[in-house]
Amino acid sequence: MAKRTPSIDTKNVTAVQLMELDSCVRCGECVKWCPTYAASGEKPGLAPRDKILRWRQYMNKSYGFKAKIFGPEEIPQSELEQFKDDVYGCTTCGVCATVCEAGINTVELWEALRTNLVKKGIGPYGKLGTIPKLIKQYHNAYMLDQKDRLAWVPTDVKIADKADILYFTGCTAGYKQLSLAFATSRVLNKLGIKFSMLGEEEWCCGSNPIRTGQIDYEDVAREAARHNVEAIQKKGAKKVLFACAGCFRAAKVDWPRLLGKELPFEVIHITQFLADLIKEDKIKWEKPINKTVTYHDPCHLGRHVGVFNAPRFVLSHIPGVKFVEMERSKEFQRCCGAGGGVKAGMPDLAVAIGEARVKDALETDADILSSACPFCKRNLSDGRDSLKADIVVEDVIELVAEALGLSTT
Ligand code: SF4
Ligand code: SF4
């Protein structure tokens, strides 16, 4: 009798990750913190511990002692489909990694499992599969013309053809959330910072395919990294500024990994850049913002890259701002709900998480819930609107622009 082949394989799952599966001690700490599990009404399948234990079980059924003697035990397709849905019901926020008693690098694990399922033809979830195709064809997921990359630039903004500093706008700020691009460019102009941009040579950073397990889809993500790095080099930039946490994470962590080399320039988030200028006393504020402001750490800026203090430093130096912290902040922050493909794939779940985060902010009595990423702004705004809550959602760079007397429209 022909030996049955295992229902799963280990493609893209490293030896360390296979050992990590065994190191889970089932303490349940991750379950207490997971934002998708909480916002879903505690759907058991979404609990990080449950996903780890299921994959461990699948590995045993496929490659364990009994499987070696009697052949692998079949895992029903319907079960694998459900597992796929649960692995995609995760914003890859990383709080489960922060609190994990066993030190499991869960973000890397979820991405590896997603890639594994995609290779097996089980993933990705729903319409997420179209995004890499769109990026390949249009170089952005919004299907907009590359020629319009700079269509947002108002007549008062001055962009240099070449400069040591380059502002990488990102598809979302450049096509959809223009106020962030207006604010960033006007703030740089006002501070006398000469900067260039890539214009139609700026391609999607590749974050979505990477986070959704489609890193190998026709090499879209690697090609995006290679193209952007070469285009930035051609511009002669030494320092690249990002106001989008997702693009920043992709450039800082994913591009070097995909290309197998260090980047030939420095990448920095705009809040870090501004914090340095404040320390050098190079910012002259013009208008106080007499409001209570709290700050939501974007997962891609905070837990993924470790930038926690710069945005707080900037906010607390804006005259008039009374800065307050939410109970869950910094490493323990609750995700806004937009990441990991959840906003595109499971929008209702994303808004439910956004609502939970807005409730966290309301507990502080803040007037303004700020963040430093267009995706956070969008989903926190959706959560606020869904709750009909009375709180303003604004990016740190918009608040800086306002305090410098600049318009963001
Ligand atoms: S990364 Fe975040 S959303 Fe995903 S399982 Fe862990 S805690 Fe939950
Ligand atoms: S916190 Fe870590 S060790 Fe504890 S149940 Fe979750 S994954 Fe397992």
Side-chain angles (χ1 to χ4, degrees):
M1 197 171 79
K3 215 172 174 187
R4 208 184 295 130
T5 50
S7 305
I8 57 159
D9 58 41
T10 56
K11 280 201 187 94
N12 280 83
V13 184
T14 65
V16 170
Q17 285 168 335
L18 292 174
M19 286 191 276
E20 281 181 333
L21 294 173
D22 282 330
S23 68
C24 172
V25 294
R26 304 172 188 234
C27 66
E29 195 58 25
C30 54
V31 184
K32 289 187 217 156
W33 292 84
C34 175
T36 51
Y37 173 72
S40 68
E42 304 193 347
K43 187 172 169 256
L46 292 184
R49 173 181 61 185
D50 187 70
K51 285 179 272 195
I52 287 178
L53 295 180
R54 266 186 289 164
W55 190 257
R56 181 154 102 189
Q57 228 178 46
Y58 296 161
M59 291 304 298
N60 276 334
K61 284 182 177 177
S62 303
Y63 303 100
F65 185 63
K66 272 178 33 192
K68 284 211 164 37
I69 298 173
F70 304 111
E73 189 181 331
E74 192 179 351
I75 305 159
Q77 193 62 21
S78 58
E79 207 178 312
L80 288 175
E81 283 291 332
Q82 183 58 55
F83 182 72
K84 177 252 305 182
D85 290 357
D86 294 339
V87 169
Y88 278 90
C90 159
T91 61
T92 63
C93 75
V95 74
C96 50
T98 301
V99 301
C100 179
E101 300 284 343
I104 301 174
N105 185 342
T106 52
V107 174
E108 298 277 327
L109 181 63
W110 307 140
E111 289 182 10
L113 292 181
R114 288 174 175 194
T115 307
N116 175 284
L117 294 172
V118 167
K119 287 200 166 155
K120 197 87 186 142
I122 300 167
Y125 180 87
K127 65 176 184 183
L128 289 176
T130 59
I131 294 179
K133 295 185 179 78
L134 296 177
I135 295 172
K136 185 173 174 64
Q137 187 176 349
Y138 297 93
H139 302 311
N140 66 80
Y142 298 121
M143 294 186 282
L144 292 169
D145 198 328
Q146 279 293 107
K147 290 200 168 43
D148 291 337
R149 278 274 179 186
L150 294 181
W152 62 269
V153 179
T155 49
D156 62 291
V157 166
K158 287 174 192 56
I159 302 168
D161 182 44
K162 288 208 171 210
D164 286 350
I165 292 174
L166 184 140
Y167 166 39
F168 189 99
T169 322
C171 308
T172 302
Y175 287 125
K176 297 287 176 185
Q177 291 196 34
L178 305 188
S179 62
L180 299 187
F182 292 151
T184 308
S185 56
R186 285 190 178 125
V187 165
L188 293 174
N189 276 178
K190 176 93 177 186
L191 298 175
I193 309 293
K194 191 176 164 195
F195 70 97
S196 67
M197 291 175 67
L198 291 179
E200 48 183 294
E201 290 306 319
E202 183 180 306
W203 289 8
C204 167
C205 66
S207 175
N208 182 287
I210 300 167
R211 305 280 84 80
T212 60
Q214 302 179 86
I215 192 165
D216 294 324
Y217 173 84
E218 296 201 12
D219 235 14
V220 164
R222 196 167 287 101
E223 187 58 13
R226 187 197 55 73
H227 172 87
N228 284 321
V229 169
E230 284 178 10
I232 292 166
Q233 269 186 299
K234 272 188 205 146
K235 280 282 187 187
K238 296 188 174 74
K239 189 181 278 197
V240 183
L241 299 182
F242 294 81
C244 171
C247 298
F248 178 57
R249 195 272 194 215
K252 192 164 178 71
V253 182
D254 300 307
W255 291 359
R257 191 175 56 168
L258 285 166
L259 301 175
K261 60 178 188 186
E262 291 291 306
L263 299 181
F265 42 76
E266 183 190 355
V267 295
I268 182 169
H269 191 264
I270 189 77
T271 55
Q272 296 174 294
F273 186 75
L274 292 172
D276 287 345
L277 292 180
I278 293 170
K279 284 175 200 158
E280 291 162 20
D281 202 20
K282 287 186 176 157
I283 296 189
K284 303 282 171 256
W285 304 105
E286 291 192 2
K287 202 180 130 208
I289 297 179
N290 295 313
K291 301 278 182 197
T292 303
V293 181
T294 191
Y295 174 70
H296 163 81
D297 294 90
C299 307
H300 289 141
L301 186 62
R303 274 191 294 266
H304 285 218
V305 180
V307 178
F308 294 109
N309 294 331
R312 290 175 166 79
F313 185 83
V314 172
L315 285 171
S316 53
H317 279 79
I318 294 176
V321 163
K322 181 185 170 209
F323 182 73
V324 288
E325 285 284 10
M326 286 182 266
E327 196 177 321
R328 281 181 64 162
S329 67
K330 297 189 176 177
E331 289 91 342
F332 300 101
Q333 151 271 48
R334 187 200 306 270
C335 172
C336 77
V342 171
K343 187 71 178 167
M346 303 177 184
D348 293 345
L349 180 60
V351 172
I353 304 168
E355 286 179 2
R357 191 54 172 156
V358 170
K359 284 180 188 164
D360 290 343
L362 292 173
E363 279 174 17
T364 67
D365 287 330
D367 306 299
I368 299 174
L369 167 56
S370 69
S371 190
C373 174
F375 292 97
C376 296
K377 184 182 173 189
R378 162 87 197 278
N379 205 51
L380 293 170
S381 301
D382 289 349
R384 182 265 324 268
D385 295 346
S386 161
L387 288 173
K388 297 189 174 44
D390 185 19
I391 190 164
V392 172
V393 177
E394 265 189 312
D395 197 281
V396 174
I397 193 66
E398 292 173 294
L399 293 170
V400 169
E402 206 180 308
L404 288 172
L406 301 166
S407 163
T408 59
T409 55

